[in-house]
Amino acid sequence: MKTENNEIKLNGNQPSIDAERLVRRIQELGQIGRDEDGKLIRLAASETDKAGRDAVVSWMEDAGLEIAIDRIGNIFGIWRGTDTAEQAPVLVGSHIDTVINAGIYDGCYGVLAGIEVIKTLRESGFVPSRPIAVAAFTNEEGVRYAPDMMGSLVYAGGLSVDEALATVGTDGTLLGEELEKIGYAGTEDPGFLQPHAYVELHVEQGPVLERMGIPIGAVENLQGISWQRVTIEGDANHAGTTPMAMRRDAGHAAAKVMTFLHERAVSSVTPTVATVGCIEFEPNAINVIPSRATFTVDLRDPDEQRLKDEEAALTKYLQELEPAEEVTITVERLARFEPVIFDKHIVELVEVASNHRGLESKRMTSGAGHDAQMIARICPTAMIFVPSDGGISHNPREHTSDSDLVAGANVLLDVVRHLAGKQ
């Protein structure tokens, strides 16, 4: 099979991963970290994260991989091959930390499929021209420690390891101390492996592939993300005795901002999305006008200029709202990531590999943030998506069929085999 420009060719006799082993390990990892109510919770650097890491390391060792851990706790399973030690490796992977009450696929699928790919290649007698490694990055979700995608961000040089290790968690713990406690404060400097390429396999976490009946997404770009915290100050007063025209109602002002964001996004012909995910009122009493409203704004768009336009539109609206509602508004920047354009060659290779397996594919944008967006700073990078039932993720009902999981892993296998093969 080859592309229209005749640049990419795949051997017709491709091996296939052990489907039963992959699915079984996803299920096994999905049971590690269950609380007394059955909720899956493996927050970064927690004891349940340790248990998950221990299982992943044991499976890496079962595949004959050399284990390396860097100072931010990223885990690497490395197949050096023969006479390839000086070559930059093909890197695959994702993360195994979870949100609270998580599903079993997000992140974990990419790590376990990566292990399976290397084990299959080794067992098939494949001789790589460069090392192949699988990574499990620390704190991708960012639930316990901020920012999210921390391990890959540090690895790519976007955040110093010392600053990251000094991060204070939502529970008052220090990340560095917690990594020490669970035995995953490694000695390698982040970035000790400089990848030749990085490919991340992931469940879509959205409804597009399922609704279109397409099994493989060739992810060509990733949305830019803007996170802000908005605080609106008004006056607390009696809900029954204060006339509507005499109120400085922070809650009402916050509602107007949320309505503005929603209406602007739904009326646009662009793929811009806007979300208010967290909100708190003070004093938060049923019969008191809110004196303060604090809420988050999540803006995303795959085009940098459009994302800037949305940020500017919000700023302008808040400036107009402040005197109109007689409130005081302050804004704090929480995170800002520019859109990422993935490597065209690898995206095309994903399409070719899909066709080679008889699978339809679709080029698409990732609406969620992933470790791939950080690693794209240091090497050619792309992602492979498989469908998510109902588009559900970050939820115990998250599900992808075994057949789709296996199909995606086999496409990853073919992509890695090409990237690490004799060129």
Side-chain angles (χ1 to χ4, degrees):
M1 179 66 64
K2 54 187 177 182
T3 63
E4 292 180 358
N5 62 14
N6 298 322
E7 290 182 356
I8 299 174
K9 299 179 181 180
L10 292 179
N11 187 302
N13 299 313
Q14 302 291 86
S16 293
I17 61 106
D18 185 323
E20 185 277 332
R21 186 168 57 204
L22 172 64
V23 172
R24 171 168 45 83
R25 285 178 173 176
I26 291 173
Q27 295 292 332
E28 288 179 10
L29 184 56
Q31 295 308 308
I32 297 174
R34 300 278 174 180
D35 68 8
E36 61 274 11
D37 297 320
K39 295 178 180 178
L40 176 59
I41 308 172
R42 282 199 310 270
L43 304 187
S46 65
E47 287 299 322
T48 54
D49 185 29
K50 169 183 167 50
R53 286 165 173 264
D54 289 348
V56 167
V57 167
S58 72
W59 291 327
M60 287 178 174
E61 291 174 335
D62 173 69
L65 305 185
E66 169 192 330
I67 306 300
I69 302 170
D70 68 14
R71 292 178 58 208
I72 196 61
N74 297 323
I75 303 170
F76 299 87
I78 308 166
W79 179 25
R80 298 284 183 184
T82 304
D83 299 325
T84 65
E86 301 304 317
Q87 298 291 322
V90 174
L91 183 64
V92 298
S94 193
H95 65 98
I96 68 162
D97 65 306
T98 73
V99 296
I100 296 171
N101 199 18
I104 69 172
Y105 302 97
D106 178 2
C108 304
Y109 170 48
V111 174
L112 299 182
I115 297 171
E116 185 60 41
V117 161
I118 300 176
K119 186 173 178 66
T120 299
L121 289 174
R122 294 193 64 163
E123 291 173 348
S124 73
F126 174 69
V127 179
S129 63
R130 59 181 66 253
I132 306 173
V134 56
F137 290 108
T138 296
N139 189 40
E140 193 273 350
E141 295 292 1
V143 175
R144 190 182 186 195
Y145 302 98
D148 56 351
M149 297 170 283
M150 181 187 284
S152 53
L153 178 63
V154 171
Y155 196 79
L159 178 68
S160 78
V161 63
D162 291 332
E163 183 179 352
L165 292 174
T167 302
V168 179
T170 56
D171 53 1
T173 57
L174 289 177
L175 175 58
E177 292 179 357
E178 294 300 286
L179 286 172
E180 289 276 3
K181 186 183 299 183
I182 67 170
Y184 281 91
T187 58
E188 299 286 353
D189 287 330
F192 73 100
L193 284 178
Q194 287 297 311
H196 168 71
Y198 176 71
V199 187
E200 183 168 354
L201 175 63
H202 210 283
V203 293
E204 181 193 349
Q205 301 181 280
V208 175
L209 291 175
E210 183 195 41
R211 290 188 180 182
M212 297 185 71
I214 296 175
I216 300 293
V219 185
E220 60 182 348
N221 59 1
L222 190 147
Q223 293 196 114
I225 302 174
S226 171
W227 283 1
Q228 301 174 69
R229 179 184 292 117
V230 179
T231 301
I232 302 179
E233 303 275 359
D235 283 333
N237 217 329
H238 197 290
T241 62
T242 309
M244 298 300 291
M246 297 182 181
R247 299 181 177 208
R248 297 180 65 237
D249 187 341
H252 177 247
K256 294 187 75 169
V257 177
M258 287 187 280
T259 301
F260 166 78
L261 290 168
H262 179 80
E263 291 182 348
R264 181 176 172 86
V266 298
S267 64
S268 173
V269 296
T270 72
T272 303
V273 291
T275 305
V276 173
C278 303
I279 187 166
E280 295 180 353
F281 286 165
E282 295 180 17
N284 202 35
I286 192 170
N287 59 350
V288 180
I289 299 165
S291 61
R292 173 182 293 179
T294 304
F295 57 95
T296 57
V297 176
D298 180 321
L299 298 172
R300 304 192 188 203
D301 195 286
D303 181 84
E304 173 65 11
Q305 187 55 56
R306 285 200 304 261
L307 185 59
K308 288 180 177 179
D309 291 345
E310 294 307 309
E311 292 172 316
L314 174 59
T315 298
K316 183 174 182 291
Y317 183 78
L318 294 177
Q319 290 171 345
E320 295 170 349
L321 183 68
E322 195 170 34
E325 294 292 315
E326 299 183 358
V327 293
T328 301
I329 302 177
T330 56
V331 179
E332 177 189 0
R333 170 79 69 192
L334 299 178
R336 180 60 158 83
F337 298 116
E338 292 185 0
V340 174
I341 306 298
F342 288 134
D343 182 78
K344 293 180 180 179
H345 175 81
I346 302 178
V347 173
E348 185 179 13
L349 180 55
V350 172
E351 293 176 316
V352 173
S354 300
N355 290 337
H356 191 66
R357 294 278 178 175
L359 301 166
E360 185 179 359
S361 63
K362 170 184 171 54
R363 291 202 177 196
M364 59 192 308
T365 296
S366 173
H370 295 285
D371 291 311
Q373 78 186 73
M374 302 306 174
I375 304 303
R377 301 180 180 193
I378 60 174
C379 71
T381 296
M383 296 189 69
I384 304 168
F385 278 173
V386 295
S388 294
D389 293 359
I392 296 172
S393 187
H394 285 184
N395 184 304
R397 293 190 293 120
E398 174 181 273
H399 184 262
T400 294
S401 71
D402 292 353
S403 61
D404 284 336
L405 294 171
V406 172
N410 278 326
V411 170
L412 177 66
L413 172 69
D414 293 351
V415 170
V416 170
R417 192 173 190 269
H418 179 85
L419 292 172
K422 302 294 184 184
Q423 302 296 315

